[in-house]
Amino acid sequence: MTTPRHEDFIIEARWMVPIEPAGIILENHAIFIQKGRIADIFAIDIGRARHPDMARVQLPHHVLMPGLVNTHAHTAMSLLRGIADDLPLMRWLREAIWPRESKHVSDSFVYEGTLLGGAEMLRGGITCVNDLYFYPDASARAYDALGMRAQVGMTVIDFPTPYASDVDDYLRKGLAARDAWVDSSRIGFFFAPHAPYTVSDASLERIRDLAEQLDANIHIHLHETANEISDAIQRDGIRPLARLQALGLLGPNLSIAHAVHMTDNELRTLADARVGVAHNPTSNMKLASGIAPVARMVATGIHVGLGTDGAASNNRLDMFQEMRHAALLAKVSTGDAAVLPAHQVLRMATLDGAHILGLQDQIGSIEIGKFADLCAISVNNAFHQPYFDPASHLIYVVGREEVTDVWVDGIRRVQDGTLLHPHNKELMRISGMWQNSLKA
């Protein structure tokens, strides 16, 4: 594990979106960062008087905001980007993805795929990711090398893969990886049963009990497609959410990905149980899975975060794209242009995402005492003008290409639009090598 080197310094920004308090923009403000955390927030002139000799980063044409939180990703699948487009979910999995995974997935595949995808995310302002895939220790090593914050899934499926032979093997390997990273301040672990259609009742009950014993979170794909639900009713006699409820899995330590096809009663069930939802608008569109009822979720009191899903079904790990798609899909699907305004979507991509991961007291907003996970976006471009509302611009105008600087734990990871580690040549080597292998 890498040992971070913290330095005390000040970031001065033309605009700041702190997320909390909600709905406000701070102009000409600064953050004092000390030992990797936010120690103070003040007007720029006050900061200069108070700390005249302190090292400072000046962002005169930028918006500074919390680092983005990606609540659902399969990052190593960056190596499968574009390998199987224009297919519905189950054909995509059975005909294109699962056969290639059975042949190619390994420790090195996951490490290098996660390094590639993690670098893409970090360059685009994503500082924390909830990632579930095989070989969790390889994922953790890649995030540690990048200096990112990550929650890594201990995947469980009821059939063998190159990673594990059975449920016991999945759990044993996942828990061993968790134990190896127990002292990390940036890398955490959660249980990741793939989906109700790939995990039995007995396995889900084991995961429920282990999660309770270890005070760990659970994250699962749920109600992603209409076919998933109709197949479940035919097979089990009940809808997948009702099955999880009967097994005692619903609670604040559970979050679900997608939740596209939900009744009003099911949304109330999620809200009452304080279950969070990872909304993946681009992946849902690309696989024609449907439009999740996010406006109703929010109105019901459910915490909703945003996710990219994997690059094999998106094909970008781009939270600016997810924010824009989330806002626009909610408006067009409800016929209400007022739903999911810009500040609310920014909150979904930061503090609400952190809440789903149980990290709301550590990241997701610019508040004193929290980790200095931050990103800066430049609006010093004629094509971004005129400029009236920073929150509106972040959702509807700029993209990840305008991210100039990123900090995790107060350590700079992107500077002036350049990822500081690893070098682009290394990433190109990784992608080229695996492209040749996967083609063959």
Side-chain angles (χ1 to χ4, degrees), residues 65-71 118-130 143 146-151 186-187 317 319-320 349-350 354 357 359 362-365 371-376 403 405-414:
M65 65 176 289
L68 298 164
V69 179
N70 185 352
T71 58
E120 178 186 354
M121 288 192 280
L122 196 55
R123 172 60 185 83
I126 299 169
T127 55
C128 179
V129 59
N130 195 52
Y143 288 122
L146 288 162
M148 286 183 71
R149 195 176 306 282
Q151 295 294 299
R186 285 186 289 102
I187 310 296
L317 304 180
M319 284 286 285
F320 283 88
T350 52
L357 307 186
L359 300 176
Q362 302 178 45
I363 61 170
S365 57
F371 288 115
D373 291 8
L374 305 161
C375 70
V403 172
D405 298 87
V406 178
W407 293 264
V408 181
D409 266 358
I411 297 174
R412 207 177 207 164
R413 300 299 182 181
V414 176

Side-chain angles (χ1 to χ4, degrees), residues 320-392:
F320 283 88
Q321 174 176 265
E322 302 307 325
M323 288 192 288
R324 180 175 173 83
H325 284 166
L328 297 181
L329 276 175
K331 296 173 192 302
V332 74
S333 64
T334 61
D336 184 356
V339 300
L340 292 200
H343 277 284
Q344 189 165 33
V345 178
L346 287 169
R347 192 180 187 90
M348 289 168 62
T350 52
L351 188 56
D352 283 346
H355 197 284
I356 288 170
L357 307 186
L359 300 176
Q360 69 273 17
D361 295 330
Q362 302 178 45
I363 61 170
S365 57
I366 298 177
E367 296 182 81
I368 292 173
K370 287 194 172 184
F371 288 115
D373 291 8
L374 305 161
C375 70
I377 302 98
S378 172
V379 292
N380 190 28
N381 186 316
F383 303 117
H384 299 151
Q385 308 304 321
Y387 191 84
F388 300 110
D389 179 1
S392 171

Side-chain angles (χ1 to χ4, degrees), residues 181-252:
W181 291 88
V182 70
D183 293 327
S184 173
S185 63
R186 285 186 289 102
I187 310 296
F189 283 76
F190 62 94
F191 288 100
H194 172 254
Y197 56 86
T198 56
V199 185
S200 67
D201 285 0
S203 299
L204 288 170
E205 288 173 333
R206 287 185 65 187
I207 290 167
R208 177 201 64 201
D209 293 344
L210 283 168
E212 184 176 349
Q213 293 168 20
L214 299 173
D215 193 24
N217 288 338
I218 304 171
H219 185 70
I220 188 170
H221 299 81
L222 193 76
H223 286 213
E224 185 173 359
T225 67
N227 284 341
E228 172 194 339
I229 296 170
S230 60
D231 289 348
I233 293 172
Q234 186 175 5
R235 182 183 63 247
D236 307 319
I238 55 174
R239 291 163 67 90
L241 179 63
R243 182 175 154 219
L244 294 190
Q245 186 176 25
L247 293 170
L249 266 78
L250 302 194

